[in-house]
Amino acid sequence: MTTANLTRSETAARSAAVTLHRIRVELDVTGAVDPARTGFPTASTLEFDASVDETWADFLGVSVEAVVVNGVERAVEYDGARIRLTGLAAHNTVEIRATGDYSRTGEGLHRFVDPVDRETYLYTHDEPADARRFMVCFEQPDMKAAITVVVTAPSSWQVLSNQSPVDVRVDGSAQTVEFAPTVPLSSYLTCIAAGPYARVEGEWRRDDLVIPLAVLSRASMAEHLPAEEILAITRQGLDFFHDAFAFPYPWGKYDQIFVPEYNIGAMENPGLVTFTESYLPRGAATRAQRQARANTILHEMAHMWFGDLVTMRWWDDLWLKESFADYMGAHASVAATEYAEAWASFANRRKAWAYTQDQLPTTHPIVADIVDLEAAKLNFDGITYAKGASVLKQLVAFVGEEAFFDAARRYFSRHAFGNTTLEDLLVELELASGRDMRAWAQAWLQTTGMSTLSLERTEAGGAVLVQTDPRPHRLQIGLYDAQDGVLVRRERLDVDIAEERTPLVVPDADLTLLNDGDLTYAKARLDERSLAAVERGLSTLEDPLARGLVWSALWNATRDGELSVARYLEIVVTHAPRESDSALLGGVLLNAPFAIGHYLPQEVRADARRAWLDATWAALGEADAGSDAQLVWARAFAAAAVYDDARRAEVSTLLIGSGPTGLPMDADLRWELLRALVATGNAGAEEITEEQLRDNTASGRTAALAAAASTPTEAVRAADWRAAWQDLTLTNDHLDATILGFGAGGRRDLTAGFDAEYFDRIVPAWHERSIEIARRLVVGLYPDADSTELVDAWLERHADAPAALRRLVLEQRDHQQRAIRVRAVQELLGD
């Protein structure tokens, strides 16, 4: 472990001995426009009290030039991650001058040059611990401070931070912008953006409170920025949270900026929320895409209270912000916006992430044991987000919505601008609900795994609800009858269970849907009668949430090896073309080809892929002109054509604009179609160059790289392999494109020869690359082999490998082993 990997114990000792008050950080990015300038000057002043005579400050950069402690210059003692601070007094002012490094990996201060207009754009991304890449700080969430940011940048640029400017001085071609000090803020929430961003302004008002709003993007993306729609969602969200939390928005302004080459969906920097540009489609957008963007806007807005106003003490309690924000994203979408169907998408797609994560050998409780930063980085996962949000939905069913929000209001009032743990929240929940929350927390927050629910019918006409891994559930059972070929809900039964077997009175029904309404977190199985009913009538269910739950049950049974892939695919081919919810449809059209590629034996896979390709083409032709379904099926067809060129003529037809009436042929869809032709050997460098001339943008450049990397030759795949591991000039997005190309088409004949080398490379990569980039390499290039022999040998030889690396490898092995196991039972399951 290097000194960059901070541990829970040492940071707890530091915060016990040091009380931080203020940080002033001054950056000079005037040289950012010069590509030869790889670094930037950064100066930090930290004011703090101390009960020890020495400690350390955190910085990941090129160099440290000077350390001044209480006016006395000290020798620079810097190991590349920590700066030793000696000679401390009770009250201290420490000034440090250093040189930071512009990032190409989305960590710290990222620099991007737009190929459209050659303009330079900067933004920061810190979570969990990358503020130290552009400022000297105490990089732990429980050491909050009033942070003043000062940026010197080209005078033509927009310069932004968490607060509004209080002073702007222009000197020729440069400007120096000083921002107001923040209220107490954790270092990982510090944000800076600079560049010629396009800006649209608005405001939100409530009584005497006026919050300036702004939405920003790169100038070349401004035509794709739906600013008014984003501002409308923002105002709806602020209305909702202002009333729900009874704590006025505390951060002064609300800027939202969409940035390139962003590693995650969004980040809740107070006053300056950052989003990936993936939320700005360059062509047609489905309702599901717009709903996802609205959900993310509201998720990040919830963080202004859960996470920013009140912050976890250490990453063990990461769920205190992420689980709540994930829950609130869906809840506020339904309560405050047009997206009343948001819980259906959550149940079908978001919870699938949780179910997958919770069945891995590395699963962990929602309240996790995070010993260091590397572990924290990997815990931004399906447990912390989606399972945590699902459990909160069960909590609301348990204590009631009024008590839940009352507890939240108490929590914010008591702990504003402070740090908390699980215990602090439980106290407020108990006061608001009058219930003992300790047993509930133990059952749901401090254990791993999930229940699987099934219904047994008894000979006497009764029923028993069976759950594996028993825990208390409050749920509903939906009873549906087939009426004139349509599945109609007759009634819902409210049920409380806690034991492994619970006798119930459950009347017969064609479809008995366990956890109807999706109140709890559990996998629900369909009995044989219900399965037959959904085979006939799944798409006739009126409620999108009910359909989402059925689709989820079918998928879980398939990946658990209880439902044959063939039967699952028959249901998909029958009912997906009639699925009216584009979010549900999109999820199904990802799962079906995944099942073919992973859960079917090799000898039948090619035929299944051909059948799937034909099914997507047929559904595309049948979809209504200009509909969401038409666009979703077109994307599915392009993805299927990467594996089989039987419909290369149809792919080419779409590319020349002779496809179905109403299909919007935007740049991104064109690239997917062209990549399919390249991956199957039906197009090459000439066509890629021609398409890039048509789309000379950042997205086009990345898509061209992915297409070229997909060329099905040994030489190209070997070049992909070398570039991924060795080319340090690849940006994060370009690395992803290279990895995508390496595996294109599932061509094991071109990639299997690298399997053994993978296991030789991952330890050096873990030590030499940033954790973000190393994770992409470890996960993205894991061998898709039919045996675990190589990984088992590596795990045996590397018992002492970094825990976070072993976790990633163990997870990939488990996915691999599941696929092998499910393939093996297909013949037994039959059709």
Side-chain angles (χ1 to χ4, degrees), residues 455-463 477-482 488 490-491 493 504-513 527 529-530:
L455 193 69
E456 292 182 0
R457 297 286 183 177
T458 67
E459 293 183 2
I477 300 175
L479 304 178
Y480 294 77
D481 297 326
V488 179
R490 182 205 321 155
E491 62 178 313
L493 308 177
L504 297 171
V505 177
V506 181
D508 284 342
D510 292 313
L511 167 61
T512 303
L513 184 56
D527 59 45
R529 181 178 176 185
S530 297

mmCIF file of all heavy atoms in Angstrom, residues 455-463 477-482 488 490-491 493 504-513 527 529-530:
data_model
loop_
_atom_site.group_PDB
_atom_site.id
_atom_site.type_symbol
_atom_site.label_atom_id
_atom_site.label_comp_id
_atom_site.label_asym_id
_atom_site.label_seq_id
_atom_site.Cartn_x
_atom_site.Cartn_y
_atom_site.Cartn_z
ATOM 1 N N LEU A 455 -44.045 -18.727 -3.662
ATOM 2 C CA LEU A 455 -45.319 -19.111 -3.066
ATOM 3 C C LEU A 455 -45.568 -20.598 -3.323
ATOM 4 O O LEU A 455 -45.508 -21.052 -4.469
ATOM 5 C CB LEU A 455 -46.465 -18.288 -3.664
ATOM 6 C CG LEU A 455 -47.801 -18.366 -2.923
ATOM 7 C CD1 LEU A 455 -47.712 -17.664 -1.572
ATOM 8 C CD2 LEU A 455 -48.915 -17.760 -3.765
ATOM 9 N N GLU A 456 -45.824 -21.316 -2.241
ATOM 10 C CA GLU A 456 -46.179 -22.728 -2.339
ATOM 11 C C GLU A 456 -47.674 -22.887 -2.094
ATOM 12 O O GLU A 456 -48.195 -22.369 -1.091
ATOM 13 C CB GLU A 456 -45.403 -23.555 -1.305
ATOM 14 C CG GLU A 456 -43.918 -23.646 -1.555
ATOM 15 C CD GLU A 456 -43.223 -24.519 -0.510
ATOM 16 O OE1 GLU A 456 -43.932 -25.048 0.393
ATOM 17 O OE2 GLU A 456 -41.991 -24.665 -0.589
ATOM 18 N N ARG A 457 -48.349 -23.581 -2.964
ATOM 19 C CA ARG A 457 -49.761 -23.907 -2.765
ATOM 20 C C ARG A 457 -49.852 -25.246 -2.046
ATOM 21 O O ARG A 457 -49.163 -26.201 -2.415
ATOM 22 C CB ARG A 457 -50.487 -23.982 -4.113
ATOM 23 C CG ARG A 457 -50.519 -22.680 -4.889
ATOM 24 C CD ARG A 457 -51.494 -21.691 -4.289
ATOM 25 N NE ARG A 457 -51.571 -20.456 -5.080
ATOM 26 C CZ ARG A 457 -52.399 -19.466 -4.797
ATOM 27 N NH1 ARG A 457 -53.211 -19.557 -3.753
ATOM 28 N NH2 ARG A 457 -52.413 -18.366 -5.540
ATOM 29 N N THR A 458 -50.701 -25.332 -1.026
ATOM 30 C CA THR A 458 -50.867 -26.575 -0.270
ATOM 31 C C THR A 458 -52.041 -27.364 -0.818
ATOM 32 O O THR A 458 -52.923 -26.835 -1.503
ATOM 33 C CB THR A 458 -51.093 -26.277 1.217
ATOM 34 O OG1 THR A 458 -52.368 -25.610 1.365
ATOM 35 C CG2 THR A 458 -49.992 -25.387 1.782
ATOM 36 N N GLU A 459 -52.040 -28.652 -0.498
ATOM 37 C CA GLU A 459 -53.129 -29.507 -0.973
ATOM 38 C C GLU A 459 -54.472 -29.080 -0.396
ATOM 39 O O GLU A 459 -55.522 -29.315 -0.997
ATOM 40 C CB GLU A 459 -52.839 -30.960 -0.608
ATOM 41 C CG GLU A 459 -51.646 -31.543 -1.359
ATOM 42 C CD GLU A 459 -51.434 -33.008 -1.010
ATOM 43 O OE1 GLU A 459 -52.238 -33.549 -0.218
ATOM 44 O OE2 GLU A 459 -50.475 -33.600 -1.535
ATOM 45 N N ALA A 460 -54.450 -28.466 0.778
ATOM 46 C CA ALA A 460 -55.698 -28.046 1.430
ATOM 47 C C ALA A 460 -56.221 -26.729 0.870
ATOM 48 O O ALA A 460 -57.212 -26.187 1.375
ATOM 49 C CB ALA A 460 -55.473 -27.915 2.935
ATOM 50 N N GLY A 461 -55.569 -26.192 -0.132
ATOM 51 C CA GLY A 461 -56.030 -24.954 -0.743
ATOM 52 C C GLY A 461 -55.425 -23.716 -0.138
ATOM 53 O O GLY A 461 -55.780 -22.602 -0.536
ATOM 54 N N GLY A 462 -54.504 -23.883 0.807
ATOM 55 C CA GLY A 462 -53.841 -22.736 1.401
ATOM 56 C C GLY A 462 -52.574 -22.381 0.640
ATOM 57 O O GLY A 462 -52.325 -22.871 -0.464
ATOM 58 N N ALA A 463 -51.788 -21.507 1.232
ATOM 59 C CA ALA A 463 -50.541 -21.075 0.610
ATOM 60 C C ALA A 463 -49.521 -20.774 1.687
ATOM 61 O O ALA A 463 -49.871 -20.397 2.816
ATOM 62 C CB ALA A 463 -50.777 -19.846 -0.263
ATOM 63 N N ILE A 477 -48.944 -8.599 -2.440
ATOM 64 C CA ILE A 477 -49.081 -9.677 -3.409
ATOM 65 C C ILE A 477 -50.200 -9.283 -4.365
ATOM 66 O O ILE A 477 -51.331 -9.027 -3.938
ATOM 67 C CB ILE A 477 -49.397 -11.020 -2.730
ATOM 68 C CG1 ILE A 477 -48.280 -11.408 -1.760
ATOM 69 C CG2 ILE A 477 -49.613 -12.117 -3.772
ATOM 70 C CD1 ILE A 477 -48.567 -12.668 -0.956
ATOM 71 N N GLY A 478 -49.884 -9.202 -5.638
ATOM 72 C CA GLY A 478 -50.881 -8.838 -6.646
ATOM 73 C C GLY A 478 -51.497 -10.076 -7.269
ATOM 74 O O GLY A 478 -50.786 -11.011 -7.653
ATOM 75 N N LEU A 479 -52.822 -10.086 -7.372
ATOM 76 C CA LEU A 479 -53.560 -11.185 -7.987
ATOM 77 C C LEU A 479 -54.153 -10.689 -9.297
ATOM 78 O O LEU A 479 -54.928 -9.726 -9.308
ATOM 79 C CB LEU A 479 -54.656 -11.679 -7.046
ATOM 80 C CG LEU A 479 -54.186 -12.110 -5.649
ATOM 81 C CD1 LEU A 479 -55.385 -12.542 -4.797
ATOM 82 C CD2 LEU A 479 -53.156 -13.227 -5.730
ATOM 83 N N TYR A 480 -53.786 -11.346 -10.396
ATOM 84 C CA TYR A 480 -54.183 -10.913 -11.731
ATOM 85 C C TYR A 480 -54.936 -12.042 -12.441
ATOM 86 O O TYR A 480 -54.516 -13.208 -12.399
ATOM 87 C CB TYR A 480 -52.951 -10.537 -12.567
ATOM 88 C CG TYR A 480 -52.206 -9.325 -12.077
ATOM 89 C CD1 TYR A 480 -51.361 -9.402 -10.961
ATOM 90 C CD2 TYR A 480 -52.333 -8.101 -12.718
ATOM 91 C CE1 TYR A 480 -50.661 -8.288 -10.515
ATOM 92 C CE2 TYR A 480 -51.634 -6.982 -12.274
ATOM 93 C CZ TYR A 480 -50.809 -7.085 -11.176
ATOM 94 O OH TYR A 480 -50.118 -5.977 -10.732
ATOM 95 N N ASP A 481 -56.007 -11.685 -13.101
ATOM 96 C CA ASP A 481 -56.791 -12.645 -13.881
ATOM 97 C C ASP A 481 -56.678 -12.322 -15.366
ATOM 98 O O ASP A 481 -56.572 -11.154 -15.762
ATOM 99 C CB ASP A 481 -58.271 -12.587 -13.481
ATOM 100 C CG ASP A 481 -58.492 -12.985 -12.034
ATOM 101 O OD1 ASP A 481 -57.759 -13.856 -11.539
ATOM 102 O OD2 ASP A 481 -59.395 -12.397 -11.405
ATOM 103 N N ALA A 482 -56.722 -13.376 -16.178
ATOM 104 C CA ALA A 482 -56.769 -13.188 -17.630
ATOM 105 C C ALA A 482 -58.207 -12.976 -18.058
ATOM 106 O O ALA A 482 -59.061 -13.852 -17.882
ATOM 107 C CB ALA A 482 -56.182 -14.398 -18.334
ATOM 108 N N VAL A 488 -55.427 -8.590 -15.807
ATOM 109 C CA VAL A 488 -56.023 -7.487 -15.058
ATOM 110 C C VAL A 488 -55.871 -7.763 -13.561
ATOM 111 O O VAL A 488 -56.190 -8.854 -13.089
ATOM 112 C CB VAL A 488 -57.517 -7.333 -15.412
ATOM 113 C CG1 VAL A 488 -58.141 -6.196 -14.601
ATOM 114 C CG2 VAL A 488 -57.687 -7.087 -16.904
ATOM 115 N N ARG A 490 -56.866 -8.028 -9.969
ATOM 116 C CA ARG A 490 -58.114 -8.184 -9.228
ATOM 117 C C ARG A 490 -58.003 -7.547 -7.848
ATOM 118 O O ARG A 490 -58.903 -6.848 -7.392
ATOM 119 C CB ARG A 490 -58.449 -9.664 -9.083
ATOM 120 C CG ARG A 490 -59.770 -9.939 -8.370
ATOM 121 C CD ARG A 490 -59.803 -11.332 -7.700
ATOM 122 N NE ARG A 490 -59.151 -12.340 -8.511
ATOM 123 C CZ ARG A 490 -58.627 -13.454 -7.991
ATOM 124 N NH1 ARG A 490 -58.678 -13.683 -6.697
ATOM 125 N NH2 ARG A 490 -58.032 -14.327 -8.774
ATOM 126 N N GLU A 491 -56.885 -7.780 -7.166
ATOM 127 C CA GLU A 491 -56.691 -7.201 -5.835
ATOM 128 C C GLU A 491 -55.219 -7.301 -5.440
ATOM 129 O O GLU A 491 -54.433 -8.020 -6.064
ATOM 130 C CB GLU A 491 -57.546 -7.917 -4.783
ATOM 131 C CG GLU A 491 -57.234 -9.388 -4.596
ATOM 132 C CD GLU A 491 -58.095 -10.028 -3.502
ATOM 133 O OE1 GLU A 491 -58.211 -9.419 -2.422
ATOM 134 O OE2 GLU A 491 -58.631 -11.121 -3.743
ATOM 135 N N LEU A 493 -52.892 -7.889 -1.868
ATOM 136 C CA LEU A 493 -52.903 -8.287 -0.471
ATOM 137 C C LEU A 493 -51.714 -7.656 0.242
ATOM 138 O O LEU A 493 -50.578 -7.721 -0.252
ATOM 139 C CB LEU A 493 -52.809 -9.818 -0.354
ATOM 140 C CG LEU A 493 -53.816 -10.636 -1.175
ATOM 141 C CD1 LEU A 493 -53.536 -12.123 -0.985
ATOM 142 C CD2 LEU A 493 -55.238 -10.294 -0.767
ATOM 143 N N LEU A 504 -50.392 -18.202 4.577
ATOM 144 C CA LEU A 504 -51.222 -17.077 4.164
ATOM 145 C C LEU A 504 -52.481 -17.595 3.472
ATOM 146 O O LEU A 504 -52.523 -18.731 3.007
ATOM 147 C CB LEU A 504 -50.466 -16.178 3.174
ATOM 148 C CG LEU A 504 -49.199 -15.472 3.648
ATOM 149 C CD1 LEU A 504 -48.511 -14.821 2.453
ATOM 150 C CD2 LEU A 504 -49.512 -14.437 4.716
ATOM 151 N N VAL A 505 -53.451 -16.726 3.394
ATOM 152 C CA VAL A 505 -54.615 -16.991 2.563
ATOM 153 C C VAL A 505 -54.435 -16.192 1.284
ATOM 154 O O VAL A 505 -54.541 -14.959 1.269
ATOM 155 C CB VAL A 505 -55.920 -16.597 3.273
ATOM 156 C CG1 VAL A 505 -57.108 -16.812 2.342
ATOM 157 C CG2 VAL A 505 -56.090 -17.392 4.566
ATOM 158 N N VAL A 506 -54.121 -16.895 0.202
ATOM 159 C CA VAL A 506 -53.876 -16.253 -1.084
ATOM 160 C C VAL A 506 -54.789 -16.909 -2.118
ATOM 161 O O VAL A 506 -54.541 -18.037 -2.542
ATOM 162 C CB VAL A 506 -52.408 -16.384 -1.517
ATOM 163 C CG1 VAL A 506 -52.180 -15.669 -2.859
ATOM 164 C CG2 VAL A 506 -51.471 -15.812 -0.458
ATOM 165 N N PRO A 507 -55.866 -16.251 -2.523
ATOM 166 C CA PRO A 507 -56.775 -16.840 -3.517
ATOM 167 C C PRO A 507 -56.043 -17.166 -4.820
ATOM 168 O O PRO A 507 -55.029 -16.558 -5.162
ATOM 169 C CB PRO A 507 -57.831 -15.752 -3.721
ATOM 170 C CG PRO A 507 -57.761 -14.919 -2.485
ATOM 171 C CD PRO A 507 -56.332 -14.936 -2.056
ATOM 172 N N ASP A 508 -56.581 -18.130 -5.534
ATOM 173 C CA ASP A 508 -56.011 -18.495 -6.828
ATOM 174 C C ASP A 508 -56.090 -17.318 -7.799
ATOM 175 O O ASP A 508 -57.012 -16.497 -7.741
ATOM 176 C CB ASP A 508 -56.769 -19.678 -7.427
ATOM 177 C CG ASP A 508 -56.383 -20.999 -6.755
ATOM 178 O OD1 ASP A 508 -55.321 -21.040 -6.106
ATOM 179 O OD2 ASP A 508 -57.146 -21.974 -6.873
ATOM 180 N N ALA A 509 -55.128 -17.270 -8.698
ATOM 181 C CA ALA A 509 -55.113 -16.247 -9.740
ATOM 182 C C ALA A 509 -54.266 -16.754 -10.888
ATOM 183 O O ALA A 509 -53.394 -17.619 -10.711
ATOM 184 C CB ALA A 509 -54.563 -14.934 -9.204
ATOM 185 N N ASP A 510 -54.505 -16.240 -12.059
ATOM 186 C CA ASP A 510 -53.674 -16.622 -13.200
ATOM 187 C C ASP A 510 -52.233 -16.163 -13.002
ATOM 188 O O ASP A 510 -51.289 -16.880 -13.330
ATOM 189 C CB ASP A 510 -54.252 -16.026 -14.486
ATOM 190 C CG ASP A 510 -55.582 -16.657 -14.858
ATOM 191 O OD1 ASP A 510 -55.679 -17.906 -14.830
ATOM 192 O OD2 ASP A 510 -56.529 -15.913 -15.160
ATOM 193 N N LEU A 511 -52.080 -14.961 -12.489
ATOM 194 C CA LEU A 511 -50.759 -14.429 -12.176
ATOM 195 C C LEU A 511 -50.748 -13.988 -10.728
ATOM 196 O O LEU A 511 -51.539 -13.117 -10.338
ATOM 197 C CB LEU A 511 -50.409 -13.246 -13.094
ATOM 198 C CG LEU A 511 -49.194 -12.382 -12.680
ATOM 199 C CD1 LEU A 511 -47.917 -13.202 -12.630
ATOM 200 C CD2 LEU A 511 -49.037 -11.188 -13.633
ATOM 201 N N THR A 512 -49.873 -14.583 -9.952
ATOM 202 C CA THR A 512 -49.659 -14.156 -8.569
ATOM 203 C C THR A 512 -48.301 -13.470 -8.523
ATOM 204 O O THR A 512 -47.256 -14.113 -8.689
ATOM 205 C CB THR A 512 -49.672 -15.354 -7.609
ATOM 206 O OG1 THR A 512 -50.922 -16.050 -7.740
ATOM 207 C CG2 THR A 512 -49.498 -14.896 -6.170
ATOM 208 N N LEU A 513 -48.312 -12.154 -8.330
ATOM 209 C CA LEU A 513 -47.093 -11.351 -8.409
ATOM 210 C C LEU A 513 -46.647 -10.959 -7.010
ATOM 211 O O LEU A 513 -47.267 -10.107 -6.356
ATOM 212 C CB LEU A 513 -47.329 -10.110 -9.267
ATOM 213 C CG LEU A 513 -46.119 -9.211 -9.534
ATOM 214 C CD1 LEU A 513 -44.973 -9.999 -10.163
ATOM 215 C CD2 LEU A 513 -46.514 -8.041 -10.424
ATOM 216 N N ASP A 527 -44.554 -18.670 -9.959
ATOM 217 C CA ASP A 527 -44.908 -20.092 -10.001
ATOM 218 C C ASP A 527 -45.245 -20.470 -11.445
ATOM 219 O O ASP A 527 -45.363 -19.618 -12.329
ATOM 220 C CB ASP A 527 -46.062 -20.394 -9.045
ATOM 221 C CG ASP A 527 -47.319 -19.598 -9.353
ATOM 222 O OD1 ASP A 527 -47.695 -19.506 -10.535
ATOM 223 O OD2 ASP A 527 -47.921 -19.048 -8.404
ATOM 224 N N ARG A 529 -47.904 -21.552 -12.966
ATOM 225 C CA ARG A 529 -49.118 -20.975 -13.539
ATOM 226 C C ARG A 529 -48.912 -19.511 -13.904
ATOM 227 O O ARG A 529 -49.354 -19.061 -14.968
ATOM 228 C CB ARG A 529 -50.279 -21.126 -12.557
ATOM 229 C CG ARG A 529 -51.602 -20.575 -13.090
ATOM 230 C CD ARG A 529 -52.733 -20.781 -12.103
ATOM 231 N NE ARG A 529 -53.979 -20.178 -12.581
ATOM 232 C CZ ARG A 529 -55.096 -20.136 -11.871
ATOM 233 N NH1 ARG A 529 -55.154 -20.694 -10.656
ATOM 234 N NH2 ARG A 529 -56.185 -19.555 -12.374
ATOM 235 N N SER A 530 -48.239 -18.793 -13.040
ATOM 236 C CA SER A 530 -47.964 -17.378 -13.319
ATOM 237 C C SER A 530 -47.026 -17.232 -14.507
ATOM 238 O O SER A 530 -47.185 -16.322 -15.342
ATOM 239 C CB SER A 530 -47.366 -16.706 -12.085
ATOM 240 O OG SER A 530 -48.277 -16.714 -11.009
#
